């Protein structure tokens, strides 16, 4: 198969030197990409942390043309890369494991004399007594895969929640899978992310797998479709 994997976090710029981001390194996506390549598939990995690949083992030397890594930094970077790759029509499977920003920064403001003043700049001054960021929802890139980008292959989506029970996680995950038209969902919690995940889809249901088994479980299911 020809497999596209996204991995890592995205940065949302506040100005030209500051950003909002999240804690995720892309190790899970890197492991899935490396495992897919070891299983004989052609792999393109889009990642914000290519250095993580140095910590991921493998059985094949990762060289082209069957192994490609493209780097991104911001939400916009990843949006452009995914659009270009997916609309090329080359891929059988898309594994969207990237931890994408949920919000864009729509303005930087200081509250003075009873009103907000826009203080957006190339580098926002540190002398302001306080700053207010206006955040607006970002589009869900995974929802563009089936819609705007017209992908008809196998789509694997990831979902992470915080402070929910396993029953609640599975309910949220299945709703999310259906919303995006994904064939397969991998879901876990922040508290358990280093140890386990649920993989599956209704009506067949979900199975709980260890972190070490996750990449193989996802790929075995994708290969059977």
């Amino acid at each position: 198969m020809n497999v596209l994997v996204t991995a890592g976090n995205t940065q949302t710029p506040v100005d030209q030197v500051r950003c909002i981001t999240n804690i995720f390194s892309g190790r899970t996506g890197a492991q899935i990409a490396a495992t897919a390549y070891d299983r004989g598939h052609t792999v393109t990995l889009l990642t914000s942390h290519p250095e993580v690949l140095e910590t991921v083992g493998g059985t094949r030397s990762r060289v082209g043309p069957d192994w490609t890594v493209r780097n991104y930094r911001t939400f916009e970077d990843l949006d452009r890369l995914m659009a270009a790759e997916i609309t090329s029509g080359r891929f059988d499977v898309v594994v969207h494991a990237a931890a994408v920003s949920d919000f864009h920064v729509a303005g930087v403001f200081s509250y003075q004399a009873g009103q907000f003043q826009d203080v957006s700049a190339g580098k926002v001054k540190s002398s302001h007594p306080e700053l207010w960021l206006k955040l607006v929802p970002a589009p869900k890139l995974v929802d563009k895969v089936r819609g705007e980008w017209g992908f008809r292959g196998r789509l694997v989506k990831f979902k992470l929640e915080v402070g929910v029970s396993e029953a609640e996680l599975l309910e949220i995950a299945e709703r999310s899978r259906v919303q995006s038209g994904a064939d397969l969902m991998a879901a876990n919690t922040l508290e358990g992310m280093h140890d386990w995940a649920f993989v599956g889809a209704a009506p067949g249901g979900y199975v709980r797998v260890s972190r070490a088994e996750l990449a193989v479980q996802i790929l075995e299911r994708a290969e059977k479709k």
Side-chain angles (χ1 to χ4, degrees):
M1 301 186 301
N2 201 332
V3 181
L4 176 68
V5 182
T6 69
N9 53 7
T10 62
Q11 297 180 11
T12 299
V14 174
D15 56 26
Q16 293 181 19
V17 299
R18 303 181 181 94
C19 70
I20 299 172
T21 188
N22 59 60
I23 65 173
F24 301 104
S25 68
R27 181 175 175 81
T28 297
Q31 184 67 66
I32 293 169
T35 303
Y37 185 68
D38 286 347
R39 293 171 74 89
H41 302 302
T42 298
V43 176
T44 299
L45 172 63
L46 311 181
T47 179
S48 57
H49 290 280
E51 71 281 359
V52 170
L53 285 165
E54 297 177 7
T55 70
V56 176
T59 59
R60 298 175 64 194
S61 178
R62 295 175 196 145
V63 295
D66 292 338
W67 174 261
T68 303
V69 178
R70 294 198 167 94
N71 302 348
Y72 67 85
R73 184 175 63 87
T74 67
F75 177 100
E76 289 75 16
D77 294 339
L78 181 57
D79 191 358
R80 286 191 294 268
L81 281 173
M82 289 182 67
E85 295 290 350
I86 292 171
T87 58
S88 73
R90 295 185 291 115
F91 295 98
D92 304 297
V93 177
V94 171
V95 180
H96 186 51
V100 182
S101 303
D102 291 318
F103 294 92
H104 291 317
V105 175
V108 183
F109 301 91
S110 177
Y111 191 71
Q112 301 176 30
Q115 60 182 346
F116 287 104
Q117 298 181 5
D118 190 338
V119 295
S120 302
K123 183 176 184 294
V124 177
K125 294 184 180 299
S126 60
S127 56
H128 297 292
E130 60 182 41
L131 288 175
W132 295 67
L133 300 182
K134 180 180 179 180
L135 303 178
V136 297
K140 299 292 187 183
L141 296 185
V142 69
D143 290 344
K144 292 186 175 185
V145 175
R146 294 291 193 210
E148 182 177 331
W149 298 330
F151 181 66
R152 295 296 175 261
R154 283 149 275 176
L155 174 60
V156 182
K157 183 177 181 179
F158 277 67
K159 186 70 174 176
L160 180 136
E161 292 290 327
V162 178
V164 301
S165 68
E166 291 186 5
E168 291 170 326
L169 173 65
L170 290 173
E171 183 177 335
I172 294 167
E174 182 60 15
R175 284 201 307 267
S176 180
R177 183 192 68 81
V178 172
Q179 166 66 33
S180 301
D183 299 287
L184 189 66
M185 173 65 81
N188 58 10
T189 64
L190 183 65
E191 299 84 355
M193 61 178 286
H194 296 297
D195 301 314
W196 57 267
F198 284 103
V199 178
Y206 288 77
V207 295
R208 179 172 171 148
V209 302
S210 70
R211 172 64 180 262
E213 299 173 302
L214 181 59
V216 170
Q217 286 284 336
I218 287 172
L219 290 164
E220 283 183 346
R221 288 167 179 255
E223 289 162 355
K224 291 177 183 177
K225 291 290 185 179

